[in-house]
Amino acid sequence: MRNTPELLIPLLMIAVIGTLAWEFQVSLPLMASKVFHGGAASYGVMASVMGGGAVVGGLISAARSRPRARALCVAAIGWGIAILAAAVAPSFALELAALVFVGYGSITFNSLAKTTLQLAAKPEMRGRVMALWALAWLGSTPIGGPIVGWGGQAIGARWALVIGGVAALACGVLALPALTRLEPPPRPGYVPGARRPGPG
């Protein structure tokens, strides 16, 4: 991983974003109670709407042909913008609208991250690479939870989302030039998603 930028850069993105952005179990209750003065029902609606966006994102992601590595950066940038939009939403209705795109962005980034790592890894190393993905994505949330929670308590509830949105946006912007350079040029005559002609 250390000697393969195609793996190292996405893994670092996943670790940072998993630590600071994938903390909705901390940030959404703060938004529901402190910003919109709701309770468990408001939080439930917010989580459900975000889940609906994730379902749509999962269906669209599954229909894509082989993605390019820089698509991961574009997904991080889009997801970061959606999180920031949710952070500054002035009303509960606009918050719900933003959370649809937050859910969409979360599953899109997650699926692209796993796909990017699996395609860049050698077959004999793929299992170990994906173990590192699980550590970076899921194992980082206990680290980020106190950070995001402290930000929401000390600075304001909206900042619990701002921290994650800025992290995702910055990772996408910073990694985009490097991953674009690392991508091989498309083969002459290659059309993404096109099927090869059958025999005869």
Side-chain angles (χ1 to χ4, degrees):
M1 293 286 288
R2 187 169 55 245
N3 298 323
T4 310
E6 297 90 337
L7 295 172
L8 181 60
I9 295 173
L11 187 68
L12 290 175
M13 292 176 64
I14 294 163
V16 172
I17 292 175
T19 300
L20 298 175
W22 191 246
E23 297 291 349
F24 299 110
Q25 72 276 12
V26 176
S27 56
L28 290 189
L30 285 173
M31 290 291 292
S33 60
K34 303 297 184 183
V35 176
F36 299 111
H37 309 291
S42 298
Y43 170 62
V45 172
M46 293 166 73
S48 298
V49 167
M50 196 174 83
V55 170
V56 174
L59 293 173
I60 294 175
S61 296
R64 286 195 180 101
S65 59
R66 174 172 175 155
R68 307 187 71 176
R70 63 182 177 185
L72 180 64
C73 299
V74 176
I77 292 170
W79 191 26
I81 292 171
I83 295 173
L84 291 175
V88 300
S91 67
F92 190 67
L94 290 175
E95 176 72 11
L96 295 180
L99 285 176
V100 172
F101 294 96
V102 172
Y104 177 91
S106 69
I107 199 68
T108 301
F109 176 82
N110 193 5
S111 65
L112 285 172
K114 288 186 285 189
T115 302
T116 300
L117 289 177
Q118 290 187 68
L119 291 176
K122 295 179 180 179
E124 64 272 18
M125 298 297 294
R126 194 164 291 144
R128 279 168 277 188
V129 168
M130 296 315 294
L132 288 174
W133 165 82
L135 178 64
W137 182 250
L138 302 175
S140 61
T141 52
I143 300 172
I147 298 172
V148 172
W150 173 85
Q153 180 179 6
I155 313 173
R158 292 183 184 274
W159 283 91
L161 282 174
V162 170
I163 292 170
V166 169
L169 183 60
C171 282
V173 170
L174 293 174
L176 182 58
L179 288 182
T180 300
R181 284 196 305 270
L182 290 170
E183 278 187 340
R187 299 188 302 272
Y190 172 73
V191 178
R195 297 179 179 272
R196 293 183 178 180

